[in-house]
Amino acid sequence: MNRVPLERKVLSENDRIAGELRDRFRVHGVLCLNLISSPGSGKTTLLERTLEGFDQNDRVAVLTGDIQTDNDAARLQRYGFPVKQITTGGTCHLDARMIERALADWPLENLDLLLIENVGNLVCPASYDLGEAAKIVLLSVTEGEDKPLKYPSIFFKSALLVVTKIDLLPYVPFDLAAAEANARHVHPKIDIVKVSCTAGAGMPDWRDWLDKRRAQTPAEHVTPRG
Amino acid sequence: MNRVPLERKVLSENDRIAGELRDRFRVHGVLCLNLISSPGSGKTTLLERTLEGFDQNDRVAVLTGDIQTDNDAARLQRYGFPVKQITTGGTCHLDARMIERALADWPLENLDLLLIENVGNLVCPASYDLGEAAKIVLLSVTEGEDKPLKYPSIFFKSALLVVTKIDLLPYVPFDLAAAEANARHVHPKIDIVKVSCTAGAGMPDWRDWLDKRRAQTPAEHVTPRG
């Protein structure tokens, strides 16, 4: 049961590749965001509403991870932006190597924003750096306000908490103030937006957060080496 | 990144301990059930309503797993049955060794039913045998009907699917027939019950399933060796 040393080796190899990806994103001025949540918290739906709001000239692309099926890529491809499915075939998280492979035929100089939808899992994806500028955790109001305390790692590592499905608040025993307090207990500086992708509430707050991060991500405009 | 051989070793060691646990459960006539779902699908609430329905003479106990906090044990202890929290401290699933340790001071001869609430995770717990007689997967109607196709392993390995939170059906875009068809596509013989723990709908079906499994679990009444 001597699992720890190999786990460390796998993570350190992952960190090396993630570091290379981060350098490439910085050089090309690509803002990369890594969306993480439980299965069914609404990652794909948030991405659908987000892509819908972009101009067709926006230089946006999506990588979407699942254990099986390419359902999510099929849903997201309708908005006219490049979308690629990563099917992990059993692995419970995306890793940096999968991102590197998926990007092999996508010229980063054509991109400003890369949205990564991780495998639905509130635990394991928190351990794998994908070279992103920020992790974003989603929590739906049907899941319970105690989740930041039970799964602290992902809330600690995320720059933003998106509370989803707030249209269901009248029908579920979810204490929104307690959920926010629990998230801030784990991570005092976490940003929080609250949205309903079906009713549209809060979507401008999410878009503002995204636009601010995009404005902070200028390309370094390096001259290619001869 | 040569992870597979060690993963196999860990799983084979887990299987060995799980086999010993299964033998002990059989000898003492303990029905052991392993409840698995995403975070927030309602495992603890289903257990609360279940314990509430038992007679105080029922020989029932609960082990409840979480990465952090003993919130769930605190919730479950109110019903007067033995409850123990297993806090994994980061590990994304329960394993057989954790169950073995938790049972060290619980005489199995005093038990008929052991309910194990796994860590909230629809992926990794599917790989770890805990010596249970059956896995039970929960899926709440807020999570989407595609989940059996996206996370097939746990639906394939579970004897029962409990669809939870059916009181929310009027407010969410969940196709119950499609969810059942997807579960049966992955696992044709899976049993399915549909419940609302808040409204009480379907709870007798769940209790019937449980009672039938209990009736099929006679103690072997072995004579202790001298």
Side-chain angles (χ1 to χ4, degrees), chain B residues 7 26 39 63 73 92 102 106 114-116 132 135 141 155 164 166 177 191 193 195 202-203 219:
Chain B
E7 192 79 35
R26 194 181 55 240
L63 296 176
C92 53
W106 275 3
L114 176 65
L115 298 163
I116 301 177
E132 71 274 344
K135 289 183 174 65
V141 302
F155 289 86
T164 60
I166 59 170
D191 292 328
V193 298
V195 306
M203 291 302 284

Side-chain angles (χ1 to χ4, degrees), chain A residues 29-218:
Chain A
V30 178
L31 174 64
C32 175
L33 299 172
N34 179 4
L35 277 69
I36 297 174
S37 79
S38 302
S41 299
K43 293 181 294 302
T44 314
T45 305
L46 181 68
L47 288 174
E48 287 186 295
R49 295 293 82 74
T50 307
L51 294 181
E52 210 171 55
F54 284 133
D55 188 274
Q56 285 302 316
N57 297 322
D58 267 312
R59 296 156 29 108
V60 177
V62 180
L63 295 176
T64 180
D66 264 307
I67 292 181
Q68 291 294 344
T69 85
D70 57 2
N71 292 1
D72 288 352
R75 281 172 64 184
L76 292 166
Q77 262 150 2
R78 291 179 290 175
Y79 300 91
F81 301 98
V83 173
K84 199 179 278 186
Q85 181 81 44
I86 301 174
T87 306
T88 68
T91 301
C92 53
H93 58 269
L94 294 179
D95 65 33
R97 178 78 74 190
M98 298 176 195
I99 304 302
E100 187 186 46
R101 280 194 197 123
L103 293 177
D105 57 355
W106 274 3
L108 288 184
E109 47 270 36
N110 299 341
L111 280 187
D112 291 332
L113 176 62
L114 176 65
L115 298 163
I116 301 177
E117 178 183 357
N118 221 306
V119 174
N121 182 335
L122 209 46
V123 190
C124 317
S127 301
Y128 289 82
D129 185 4
L130 305 182
E132 71 275 344
K135 289 182 173 65
I136 296 174
V137 61
L138 281 72
L139 175 67
S140 81
V141 302
T142 65
E143 292 171 59
E145 63 277 343
D146 57 349
K147 294 303 170 288
L149 304 179
K150 286 185 170 180
Y151 304 86
S153 178
I154 184 55
F155 289 85
F156 178 72
K157 290 181 178 177
S158 292
L160 174 70
L161 161 61
V162 183
V163 180
T164 60
K165 307 192 190 185
I166 59 169
D167 55 294
L168 294 177
L169 278 172
Y171 315 113
V172 294
F174 184 84
D175 183 334
L176 191 53
E180 295 189 51
N182 289 340
R184 294 220 156 93
H185 178 76
V186 171
H187 182 177
K189 291 189 173 174
I190 197 168
D191 292 329
I192 302 178
V193 298
K194 292 153 266 182
V195 306
S196 164
C197 289
T198 53
M203 291 302 284
D205 298 334
W206 154 243
R207 183 61 194 258
D208 281 353
W209 189 93
L210 203 53
D211 289 345
K212 266 180 207 150
R213 291 299 297 232
R214 294 181 77 180
Q216 292 162 7
T217 313

Side-chain angles (χ1 to χ4, degrees), chain B residues 25-26 28-33 49-61 81 110-115 133-134 136 160 191 205-221:
Chain B
F25 295 143
R26 194 181 55 240
H28 293 289
V30 178
L31 174 64
C32 175
L33 300 171
R49 296 293 80 78
T50 307
L51 294 181
E52 211 170 53
F54 284 133
D55 188 273
Q56 284 302 313
N57 298 322
D58 267 313
R59 296 156 31 105
V60 177
F81 300 98
N110 299 340
L111 280 187
D112 292 333
L113 175 62
L114 176 65
L115 298 163
I136 296 174
L160 174 69
D191 292 328
D205 298 334
W206 153 242
R207 184 59 194 259
D208 280 354
W209 189 93
L210 203 54
D211 289 345
K212 265 180 209 150
R213 290 299 297 230
R214 294 180 77 180
Q216 293 163 6
T217 313
E220 289 195 0
H221 299 299

Side-chain angles (χ1 to χ4, degrees), chain B residues 25-173:
Chain B
F25 295 143
R26 194 181 55 240
V27 166
H28 293 289
V30 178
L31 174 64
C32 175
L33 300 171
N34 180 3
L35 278 71
I36 297 175
S37 79
S38 302
S41 299
K43 293 181 294 304
T44 314
T45 305
L46 180 69
L47 288 174
E48 287 186 296
R49 296 293 80 78
T50 307
L51 294 181
E52 211 170 53
F54 284 133
D55 188 273
Q56 284 302 313
N57 298 322
D58 267 313
R59 296 156 31 105
V60 177
V62 180
L63 296 176
T64 180
D66 264 308
I67 292 182
Q68 292 294 344
T69 85
D70 57 1
N71 293 0
D72 288 353
R75 281 171 63 183
L76 293 165
Q77 262 150 2
R78 292 179 289 175
Y79 300 91
F81 300 98
V83 174
K84 200 179 277 187
Q85 181 80 44
I86 301 174
T87 306
T88 68
T91 302
C92 53
H93 57 270
L94 294 179
D95 65 33
R97 178 77 76 191
M98 297 176 197
I99 304 302
E100 186 186 47
R101 280 192 198 126
L103 293 177
D105 57 355
W106 275 3
L108 288 183
E109 46 271 36
N110 299 340
L111 280 187
D112 292 333
L113 175 62
L114 176 65
L115 298 163
I116 301 177
E117 177 183 356
N118 220 307
V119 174
N121 182 334
L122 209 46
V123 190
C124 317
S127 301
Y128 288 82
D129 185 4
L130 305 182
E132 71 274 344
K135 289 183 174 65
I136 296 174
V137 61
L138 281 72
L139 175 67
S140 81
V141 302
T142 64
E143 291 171 58
E145 62 277 345
D146 56 349
K147 294 303 170 289
L149 303 179
K150 285 185 169 182
Y151 303 86
S153 177
I154 184 56
F155 289 86
F156 178 72
K157 291 181 177 178
S158 292
L160 174 69
L161 161 61
V162 182
V163 180
T164 60
K165 307 191 189 185
I166 59 170
D167 54 294
L168 295 177
L169 278 171
Y171 314 113
V172 294

